[in-house]
Amino acid sequence: MLEMLKVIVLGIVEGITEWLPISSTGHMLLVDAVMPLKMTPEFKEMFFVVIQFGAILAVVCMYWSRMWPVGIKDKKPFVKMDIITMWLKILVALIPSIVFGLLLDEWLEEHLYTPNVIAIMLIFYGVLFIIIERWNKNRTPLFKTMDDIGWKTGLFIGLFQVLAMVPGTSRSGATIIGGLLLGASRIAAAEFTFFLAVPTMLGASLLKLVKFGISFTSVELLTLVVGMVVAFAVSIFAIKFLMNFIKKHDFTAFGWYRIVLGAIVLFVSWYIKM
């Protein structure tokens, strides 16, 4: 019962932090450090990635009409070319993550998944959010909607997503920062991040499942399903909150949150070693 409560907490944390620019992986690793999930290291490595697929399904459900490229008119199917073009841009933006992910994924997990790295990245990108928002305050966005984002801009946003391979960075945070720097509005940057997350996390989840194998114990399967279901449900509220929030506010509050949390993690890590 206690272990399942931990899974539910991790699902809640994932559902909230996957979309807010505060690092889902970093938060889940910190939660696991405080109340460790009693599973094998191999399962936990897979779980922390595949649980994110539940969060991704929330985006698919909420944005289905803007994602599915086939419509019906006069009882006949037709292809929505604007959606096809959008997905092609997303695939171009995905290329850097595929290349660097295959090359560096295992090395990063072995060397950088530590509380100190998470804390430093939380603080660094928190400061960056504050600086960028102040610099961005009087600028007029070049791309007001996601459809305005071009091929080259999409590719550069994809390069920013590579930075999120370091825990504590935040995938959504890195791509939103990239979008803002390149001239996207907050809403355009956030929506491009949501759409880019779908193939990114689908691919990452499949790779982790293949690496782990398809044979689960009943407890492992229940753990994975509960984690994904909770992450899915919480993500719906988190996405709605973020989109409503950024219509009236900038990302500065998230920057300060990252700095405070990072400082706490550094202090606790230092105190434990004393």
Side-chain angles (χ1 to χ4, degrees):
M1 188 66 182
L2 179 59
E3 290 304 299
M4 196 50 61
L5 181 61
K6 293 178 185 178
V7 173
I8 292 172
V9 170
L10 286 167
I12 293 171
V13 170
E14 162 58 25
I16 294 172
T17 60
E18 181 64 38
W19 307 112
L20 306 186
I22 53 178
S23 178
S24 60
T25 302
H27 276 75
M28 285 195 293
L29 289 172
L30 292 174
V31 169
D32 188 60
V34 174
M35 43 184 234
L37 195 62
K38 293 181 180 177
M39 293 287 183
T40 65
E42 293 77 15
F43 176 82
K44 285 167 71 169
E45 178 187 329
M46 179 274 297
F47 175 79
F48 286 148
V49 174
V50 178
I51 189 178
Q52 297 176 54
F53 185 64
I56 299 307
L57 288 178
V59 168
V60 174
C61 290
M62 294 177 69
Y63 287 87
W64 179 255
S65 62
R66 291 176 56 187
M67 287 186 171
W68 185 245
V70 179
I72 301 294
K73 187 175 182 180
D74 298 328
K75 297 182 180 181
K76 295 181 180 180
F78 70 97
V79 176
K80 301 176 182 178
M81 290 308 300
D82 58 331
I83 295 181
I84 294 291
T85 301
M86 179 272 295
W87 278 118
L88 290 175
K89 291 178 184 177
I90 293 294
L91 291 176
V92 168
L94 188 63
I95 292 172
S97 292
I98 294 174
V99 174
F100 286 96
L102 292 173
L103 291 174
L104 299 175
D105 183 53
E106 291 188 6
W107 185 90
L108 290 169
E109 286 185 359
E110 184 178 347
H111 293 89
L112 297 184
Y113 277 50
T114 66
N116 284 343
V117 171
I118 292 171
I120 291 168
M121 291 300 101
L122 283 169
I123 293 171
F124 175 76
Y125 284 97
V127 172
L128 202 57
F129 260 119
I130 293 169
I131 292 172
I132 289 172
E133 283 293 15
R134 288 182 179 177
W135 171 69
N136 216 27
K137 187 170 292 184
N138 297 317
R139 294 175 71 221
T140 300
L142 298 175
F143 316 111
K144 293 185 178 180
T145 69
M146 192 180 72
D147 292 335
D148 296 332
I149 295 175
W151 297 86
K152 186 168 70 172
T153 303
L155 176 61
F156 282 127
I157 292 175
L159 286 169
F160 274 91
Q161 181 173 246
V162 173
L163 299 173
M165 294 175 64
V166 179
T169 297
S170 170
R171 191 200 59 78
S172 62
T175 52
I176 287 172
I177 282 176
L180 294 176
L181 285 173
L182 294 165
S185 68
R186 295 184 189 95
I187 290 177
E191 288 186 344
F192 195 87
T193 291
F194 295 163
F195 281 54
L196 181 56
V198 175
T200 301
M201 296 317 304
L202 175 60
S205 297
L206 289 175
L207 282 174
K208 288 298 181 184
L209 284 171
V210 169
K211 182 179 177 181
F212 180 79
I214 57 174
S215 58
F216 295 92
T217 66
S218 57
V219 174
E220 288 173 341
L221 184 59
L222 180 62
T223 297
L224 192 59
V225 170
V226 169
M228 287 195 295
V229 169
V230 173
F232 169 83
V234 174
S235 286
I236 291 176
F237 293 100
I239 293 168
K240 288 180 178 179
F241 165 79
L242 180 63
M243 297 310 292
N244 288 329
F245 181 86
I246 62 177
K247 288 177 182 177
K248 300 177 182 179
H249 309 280
D250 60 24
F251 289 101
T252 300
F254 298 112
W256 284 114
Y257 171 83
R258 292 178 64 106
I259 292 169
V260 171
L261 179 61
I264 293 172
V265 173
L266 279 178
F267 174 78
V268 172
S269 179
W270 168 79
Y271 183 79
I272 290 173
K273 291 178 181 179
M274 285 183 64

mmCIF file of all heavy atoms in Angstrom, residues 59-70 80 82-84 86-87 90 144-148 187-188 190-192 194-195 243:
data_model
loop_
_atom_site.group_PDB
_atom_site.id
_atom_site.type_symbol
_atom_site.label_atom_id
_atom_site.label_comp_id
_atom_site.label_asym_id
_atom_site.label_seq_id
_atom_site.Cartn_x
_atom_site.Cartn_y
_atom_site.Cartn_z
ATOM 1 N N VAL A 59 -1.915 15.465 -23.770
ATOM 2 C CA VAL A 59 -1.786 16.439 -24.867
ATOM 3 C C VAL A 59 -2.528 15.946 -26.105
ATOM 4 O O VAL A 59 -3.239 16.702 -26.769
ATOM 5 C CB VAL A 59 -0.299 16.673 -25.208
ATOM 6 C CG1 VAL A 59 -0.155 17.437 -26.515
ATOM 7 C CG2 VAL A 59 0.371 17.455 -24.101
ATOM 8 N N VAL A 60 -2.375 14.670 -26.410
ATOM 9 C CA VAL A 60 -3.034 14.101 -27.589
ATOM 10 C C VAL A 60 -4.546 14.242 -27.468
ATOM 11 O O VAL A 60 -5.232 14.623 -28.439
ATOM 12 C CB VAL A 60 -2.640 12.613 -27.768
ATOM 13 C CG1 VAL A 60 -3.433 11.982 -28.908
ATOM 14 C CG2 VAL A 60 -1.145 12.483 -28.030
ATOM 15 N N CYS A 61 -5.086 13.952 -26.298
ATOM 16 C CA CYS A 61 -6.537 14.070 -26.098
ATOM 17 C C CYS A 61 -7.001 15.518 -26.190
ATOM 18 O O CYS A 61 -8.023 15.814 -26.820
ATOM 19 C CB CYS A 61 -6.920 13.486 -24.736
ATOM 20 S SG CYS A 61 -6.764 11.702 -24.623
ATOM 21 N N MET A 62 -6.255 16.433 -25.578
ATOM 22 C CA MET A 62 -6.677 17.826 -25.534
ATOM 23 C C MET A 62 -6.524 18.542 -26.875
ATOM 24 O O MET A 62 -7.284 19.450 -27.192
ATOM 25 C CB MET A 62 -5.876 18.572 -24.461
ATOM 26 C CG MET A 62 -6.165 18.080 -23.048
ATOM 27 S SD MET A 62 -5.157 18.923 -21.799
ATOM 28 C CE MET A 62 -5.845 20.576 -21.856
ATOM 29 N N TYR A 63 -5.521 18.127 -27.669
ATOM 30 C CA TYR A 63 -5.244 18.810 -28.931
ATOM 31 C C TYR A 63 -5.536 17.917 -30.146
ATOM 32 O O TYR A 63 -5.011 18.165 -31.215
ATOM 33 C CB TYR A 63 -3.778 19.259 -28.966
ATOM 34 C CG TYR A 63 -3.476 20.429 -28.073
ATOM 35 C CD1 TYR A 63 -3.131 20.241 -26.737
ATOM 36 C CD2 TYR A 63 -3.538 21.743 -28.539
ATOM 37 C CE1 TYR A 63 -2.848 21.316 -25.899
ATOM 38 C CE2 TYR A 63 -3.257 22.821 -27.719
ATOM 39 C CZ TYR A 63 -2.921 22.597 -26.393
ATOM 40 O OH TYR A 63 -2.641 23.665 -25.580
ATOM 41 N N TRP A 64 -6.378 16.913 -29.965
ATOM 42 C CA TRP A 64 -6.607 15.934 -31.025
ATOM 43 C C TRP A 64 -7.036 16.581 -32.342
ATOM 44 O O TRP A 64 -6.543 16.237 -33.411
ATOM 45 C CB TRP A 64 -7.661 14.920 -30.582
ATOM 46 C CG TRP A 64 -7.981 13.893 -31.630
ATOM 47 C CD1 TRP A 64 -9.099 13.827 -32.406
ATOM 48 C CD2 TRP A 64 -7.152 12.797 -32.027
ATOM 49 N NE1 TRP A 64 -9.037 12.745 -33.254
ATOM 50 C CE2 TRP A 64 -7.846 12.097 -33.044
ATOM 51 C CE3 TRP A 64 -5.901 12.344 -31.631
ATOM 52 C CZ2 TRP A 64 -7.320 10.970 -33.663
ATOM 53 C CZ3 TRP A 64 -5.379 11.210 -32.241
ATOM 54 C CH2 TRP A 64 -6.081 10.545 -33.244
ATOM 55 N N SER A 65 -7.942 17.531 -32.271
ATOM 56 C CA SER A 65 -8.455 18.142 -33.501
ATOM 57 C C SER A 65 -7.372 18.899 -34.257
ATOM 58 O O SER A 65 -7.466 19.078 -35.479
ATOM 59 C CB SER A 65 -9.618 19.094 -33.177
ATOM 60 O OG SER A 65 -9.178 20.155 -32.351
ATOM 61 N N ARG A 66 -6.331 19.347 -33.543
ATOM 62 C CA ARG A 66 -5.229 20.068 -34.195
ATOM 63 C C ARG A 66 -4.062 19.150 -34.536
ATOM 64 O O ARG A 66 -3.093 19.589 -35.161
ATOM 65 C CB ARG A 66 -4.756 21.201 -33.285
ATOM 66 C CG ARG A 66 -5.782 22.309 -33.144
ATOM 67 C CD ARG A 66 -5.326 23.368 -32.173
ATOM 68 N NE ARG A 66 -4.037 23.934 -32.534
ATOM 69 C CZ ARG A 66 -3.356 24.783 -31.777
ATOM 70 N NH1 ARG A 66 -3.851 25.146 -30.601
ATOM 71 N NH2 ARG A 66 -2.189 25.255 -32.158
ATOM 72 N N MET A 67 -4.165 17.882 -34.114
ATOM 73 C CA MET A 67 -3.089 16.932 -34.381
ATOM 74 C C MET A 67 -3.432 15.927 -35.479
ATOM 75 O O MET A 67 -2.566 15.518 -36.241
ATOM 76 C CB MET A 67 -2.741 16.149 -33.100
ATOM 77 C CG MET A 67 -1.998 16.949 -32.056
ATOM 78 S SD MET A 67 -1.496 15.881 -30.679
ATOM 79 C CE MET A 67 -0.429 17.011 -29.771
ATOM 80 N N TRP A 68 -4.700 15.518 -35.556
ATOM 81 C CA TRP A 68 -5.089 14.484 -36.498
ATOM 82 C C TRP A 68 -5.273 15.096 -37.887
ATOM 83 O O TRP A 68 -6.066 16.020 -38.067
ATOM 84 C CB TRP A 68 -6.372 13.810 -36.039
ATOM 85 C CG TRP A 68 -6.777 12.642 -36.903
ATOM 86 C CD1 TRP A 68 -7.885 12.545 -37.679
ATOM 87 C CD2 TRP A 68 -6.049 11.425 -37.088
ATOM 88 N NE1 TRP A 68 -7.923 11.340 -38.325
ATOM 89 C CE2 TRP A 68 -6.790 10.621 -37.982
ATOM 90 C CE3 TRP A 68 -4.842 10.936 -36.583
ATOM 91 C CZ2 TRP A 68 -6.369 9.361 -38.383
ATOM 92 C CZ3 TRP A 68 -4.419 9.674 -36.986
ATOM 93 C CH2 TRP A 68 -5.175 8.904 -37.869
ATOM 94 N N PRO A 69 -4.541 14.609 -38.897
ATOM 95 C CA PRO A 69 -4.518 15.270 -40.210
ATOM 96 C C PRO A 69 -5.646 14.880 -41.166
ATOM 97 O O PRO A 69 -5.645 15.312 -42.313
ATOM 98 C CB PRO A 69 -3.159 14.823 -40.776
ATOM 99 C CG PRO A 69 -2.953 13.464 -40.193
ATOM 100 C CD PRO A 69 -3.552 13.522 -38.803
ATOM 101 N N VAL A 70 -6.593 14.078 -40.713
ATOM 102 C CA VAL A 70 -7.681 13.643 -41.598
ATOM 103 C C VAL A 70 -9.000 14.187 -41.072
ATOM 104 O O VAL A 70 -9.333 14.011 -39.896
ATOM 105 C CB VAL A 70 -7.748 12.100 -41.695
ATOM 106 C CG1 VAL A 70 -8.914 11.675 -42.600
ATOM 107 C CG2 VAL A 70 -6.436 11.537 -42.221
ATOM 108 N N LYS A 80 -5.759 17.299 -44.139
ATOM 109 C CA LYS A 80 -5.510 18.684 -43.731
ATOM 110 C C LYS A 80 -4.027 18.976 -43.915
ATOM 111 O O LYS A 80 -3.195 18.584 -43.088
ATOM 112 C CB LYS A 80 -5.915 18.886 -42.270
ATOM 113 C CG LYS A 80 -7.377 18.574 -41.990
ATOM 114 C CD LYS A 80 -7.676 18.714 -40.490
ATOM 115 C CE LYS A 80 -9.109 18.359 -40.172
ATOM 116 N NZ LYS A 80 -9.387 18.450 -38.708
ATOM 117 N N ASP A 82 -2.282 21.645 -43.687
ATOM 118 C CA ASP A 82 -1.617 22.486 -42.690
ATOM 119 C C ASP A 82 -1.129 21.658 -41.503
ATOM 120 O O ASP A 82 -0.052 21.909 -40.949
ATOM 121 C CB ASP A 82 -2.553 23.600 -42.219
ATOM 122 C CG ASP A 82 -3.855 23.069 -41.627
ATOM 123 O OD1 ASP A 82 -4.292 21.968 -42.042
ATOM 124 O OD2 ASP A 82 -4.442 23.745 -40.766
ATOM 125 N N ILE A 83 -1.897 20.619 -41.145
ATOM 126 C CA ILE A 83 -1.488 19.746 -40.043
ATOM 127 C C ILE A 83 -0.338 18.843 -40.487
ATOM 128 O O ILE A 83 0.596 18.583 -39.709
ATOM 129 C CB ILE A 83 -2.683 18.915 -39.527
ATOM 130 C CG1 ILE A 83 -3.727 19.859 -38.916
ATOM 131 C CG2 ILE A 83 -2.216 17.871 -38.513
ATOM 132 C CD1 ILE A 83 -4.937 19.155 -38.350
ATOM 133 N N ILE A 84 -0.369 18.379 -41.728
ATOM 134 C CA ILE A 84 0.747 17.582 -42.266
ATOM 135 C C ILE A 84 2.033 18.417 -42.221
ATOM 136 O O ILE A 84 3.096 17.932 -41.797
ATOM 137 C CB ILE A 84 0.465 17.135 -43.712
ATOM 138 C CG1 ILE A 84 -0.727 16.153 -43.758
ATOM 139 C CG2 ILE A 84 1.715 16.514 -44.334
ATOM 140 C CD1 ILE A 84 -0.440 14.806 -43.145
ATOM 141 N N MET A 86 2.669 20.941 -40.280
ATOM 142 C CA MET A 86 3.040 21.128 -38.881
ATOM 143 C C MET A 86 3.813 19.922 -38.359
ATOM 144 O O MET A 86 4.856 20.064 -37.705
ATOM 145 C CB MET A 86 1.779 21.364 -38.038
ATOM 146 C CG MET A 86 2.026 21.554 -36.554
ATOM 147 S SD MET A 86 2.049 19.993 -35.610
ATOM 148 C CE MET A 86 0.352 19.432 -35.826
ATOM 149 N N TRP A 87 3.356 18.714 -38.664
ATOM 150 C CA TRP A 87 4.038 17.502 -38.195
ATOM 151 C C TRP A 87 5.411 17.341 -38.846
ATOM 152 O O TRP A 87 6.348 16.839 -38.218
ATOM 153 C CB TRP A 87 3.188 16.265 -38.437
ATOM 154 C CG TRP A 87 2.148 16.060 -37.374
ATOM 155 C CD1 TRP A 87 0.802 16.057 -37.527
ATOM 156 C CD2 TRP A 87 2.391 15.853 -35.973
ATOM 157 N NE1 TRP A 87 0.182 15.857 -36.324
ATOM 158 C CE2 TRP A 87 1.133 15.723 -35.355
ATOM 159 C CE3 TRP A 87 3.538 15.772 -35.186
ATOM 160 C CZ2 TRP A 87 0.996 15.505 -33.978
ATOM 161 C CZ3 TRP A 87 3.413 15.558 -33.825
ATOM 162 C CH2 TRP A 87 2.153 15.427 -33.234
ATOM 163 N N ILE A 90 7.665 19.454 -36.892
ATOM 164 C CA ILE A 90 7.945 18.800 -35.611
ATOM 165 C C ILE A 90 9.001 17.715 -35.799
ATOM 166 O O ILE A 90 9.921 17.571 -34.971
ATOM 167 C CB ILE A 90 6.654 18.197 -35.016
ATOM 168 C CG1 ILE A 90 5.662 19.300 -34.620
ATOM 169 C CG2 ILE A 90 6.981 17.300 -33.829
ATOM 170 C CD1 ILE A 90 6.120 20.186 -33.491
ATOM 171 N N LYS A 144 3.419 34.728 -33.528
ATOM 172 C CA LYS A 144 2.350 34.845 -32.546
ATOM 173 C C LYS A 144 1.643 33.513 -32.293
ATOM 174 O O LYS A 144 1.124 33.278 -31.204
ATOM 175 C CB LYS A 144 1.351 35.907 -32.989
ATOM 176 C CG LYS A 144 1.933 37.325 -32.984
ATOM 177 C CD LYS A 144 0.892 38.365 -33.321
ATOM 178 C CE LYS A 144 1.486 39.771 -33.254
ATOM 179 N NZ LYS A 144 0.483 40.810 -33.587
ATOM 180 N N THR A 145 1.591 32.654 -33.309
ATOM 181 C CA THR A 145 0.976 31.340 -33.152
ATOM 182 C C THR A 145 1.970 30.263 -33.560
ATOM 183 O O THR A 145 2.978 30.548 -34.212
ATOM 184 C CB THR A 145 -0.288 31.191 -34.021
ATOM 185 O OG1 THR A 145 0.095 31.150 -35.412
ATOM 186 C CG2 THR A 145 -1.247 32.358 -33.806
ATOM 187 N N MET A 146 1.670 29.024 -33.198
ATOM 188 C CA MET A 146 2.567 27.926 -33.522
ATOM 189 C C MET A 146 2.706 27.758 -35.033
ATOM 190 O O MET A 146 3.769 27.378 -35.536
ATOM 191 C CB MET A 146 2.064 26.628 -32.899
ATOM 192 C CG MET A 146 3.085 25.496 -32.956
ATOM 193 S SD MET A 146 2.497 23.979 -32.212
ATOM 194 C CE MET A 146 1.296 23.454 -33.426
ATOM 195 N N ASP A 147 1.642 28.049 -35.779
ATOM 196 C CA ASP A 147 1.685 27.904 -37.241
ATOM 197 C C ASP A 147 2.667 28.876 -37.882
ATOM 198 O O ASP A 147 3.131 28.642 -39.005
ATOM 199 C CB ASP A 147 0.289 28.124 -37.835
ATOM 200 C CG ASP A 147 -0.676 27.015 -37.439
ATOM 201 O OD1 ASP A 147 -0.196 25.907 -37.145
ATOM 202 O OD2 ASP A 147 -1.898 27.270 -37.415
ATOM 203 N N ASP A 148 2.985 29.967 -37.188
ATOM 204 C CA ASP A 148 3.921 30.961 -37.727
ATOM 205 C C ASP A 148 5.379 30.503 -37.639
ATOM 206 O O ASP A 148 6.245 31.077 -38.311
ATOM 207 C CB ASP A 148 3.784 32.292 -36.968
ATOM 208 C CG ASP A 148 2.410 32.928 -37.150
ATOM 209 O OD1 ASP A 148 1.789 32.692 -38.203
ATOM 210 O OD2 ASP A 148 1.963 33.641 -36.227
ATOM 211 N N ILE A 187 2.604 31.683 -25.854
ATOM 212 C CA ILE A 187 1.639 30.646 -26.224
ATOM 213 C C ILE A 187 2.171 29.798 -27.366
ATOM 214 O O ILE A 187 2.067 28.563 -27.350
ATOM 215 C CB ILE A 187 0.280 31.276 -26.595
ATOM 216 C CG1 ILE A 187 -0.379 31.844 -25.332
ATOM 217 C CG2 ILE A 187 -0.632 30.261 -27.268
ATOM 218 C CD1 ILE A 187 -1.690 32.543 -25.564
ATOM 219 N N ALA A 188 2.773 30.426 -28.374
ATOM 220 C CA ALA A 188 3.334 29.672 -29.502
ATOM 221 C C ALA A 188 4.458 28.752 -29.039
ATOM 222 O O ALA A 188 4.546 27.590 -29.454
ATOM 223 C CB ALA A 188 3.843 30.630 -30.580
ATOM 224 N N ALA A 190 4.901 27.520 -26.001
ATOM 225 C CA ALA A 190 4.356 26.450 -25.166
ATOM 226 C C ALA A 190 3.681 25.384 -26.021
ATOM 227 O O ALA A 190 3.881 24.187 -25.812
ATOM 228 C CB ALA A 190 3.368 27.027 -24.153
ATOM 229 N N GLU A 191 2.879 25.804 -27.005
ATOM 230 C CA GLU A 191 2.186 24.825 -27.846
ATOM 231 C C GLU A 191 3.157 24.024 -28.701
ATOM 232 O O GLU A 191 2.978 22.813 -28.878
ATOM 233 C CB GLU A 191 1.148 25.526 -28.717
ATOM 234 C CG GLU A 191 -0.052 26.015 -27.922
ATOM 235 C CD GLU A 191 -1.164 26.575 -28.801
ATOM 236 O OE1 GLU A 191 -0.908 26.876 -29.989
ATOM 237 O OE2 GLU A 191 -2.281 26.705 -28.293
ATOM 238 N N PHE A 192 4.193 24.673 -29.228
ATOM 239 C CA PHE A 192 5.194 23.937 -29.994
ATOM 240 C C PHE A 192 5.871 22.900 -29.093
ATOM 241 O O PHE A 192 6.152 21.770 -29.523
ATOM 242 C CB PHE A 192 6.244 24.884 -30.570
ATOM 243 C CG PHE A 192 7.089 24.271 -31.652
ATOM 244 C CD1 PHE A 192 6.677 24.292 -32.971
ATOM 245 C CD2 PHE A 192 8.298 23.657 -31.345
ATOM 246 C CE1 PHE A 192 7.456 23.722 -33.976
ATOM 247 C CE2 PHE A 192 9.085 23.082 -32.333
ATOM 248 C CZ PHE A 192 8.660 23.118 -33.647
ATOM 249 N N PHE A 194 4.451 21.392 -26.512
ATOM 250 C CA PHE A 194 3.500 20.299 -26.307
ATOM 251 C C PHE A 194 3.535 19.313 -27.482
ATOM 252 O O PHE A 194 3.598 18.096 -27.291
ATOM 253 C CB PHE A 194 2.073 20.842 -26.163
ATOM 254 C CG PHE A 194 1.851 21.696 -24.956
ATOM 255 C CD1 PHE A 194 0.739 22.522 -24.879
ATOM 256 C CD2 PHE A 194 2.739 21.694 -23.887
ATOM 257 C CE1 PHE A 194 0.511 23.313 -23.758
ATOM 258 C CE2 PHE A 194 2.525 22.488 -22.760
ATOM 259 C CZ PHE A 194 1.410 23.294 -22.700
ATOM 260 N N PHE A 195 3.481 19.859 -28.689
ATOM 261 C CA PHE A 195 3.434 19.001 -29.870
ATOM 262 C C PHE A 195 4.752 18.249 -30.055
ATOM 263 O O PHE A 195 4.758 17.069 -30.405
ATOM 264 C CB PHE A 195 3.111 19.832 -31.116
ATOM 265 C CG PHE A 195 1.652 20.180 -31.257
ATOM 266 C CD1 PHE A 195 0.969 20.815 -30.230
ATOM 267 C CD2 PHE A 195 0.961 19.886 -32.412
ATOM 268 C CE1 PHE A 195 -0.373 21.132 -30.350
ATOM 269 C CE2 PHE A 195 -0.382 20.195 -32.557
ATOM 270 C CZ PHE A 195 -1.051 20.824 -31.517
ATOM 271 N N MET A 243 -1.589 27.218 -19.752
ATOM 272 C CA MET A 243 -2.055 28.030 -20.871
ATOM 273 C C MET A 243 -2.854 29.244 -20.391
ATOM 274 O O MET A 243 -2.765 30.322 -20.983
ATOM 275 C CB MET A 243 -2.889 27.182 -21.834
ATOM 276 C CG MET A 243 -2.103 26.048 -22.490
ATOM 277 S SD MET A 243 -0.534 26.587 -23.225
ATOM 278 C CE MET A 243 -1.122 27.595 -24.588
#
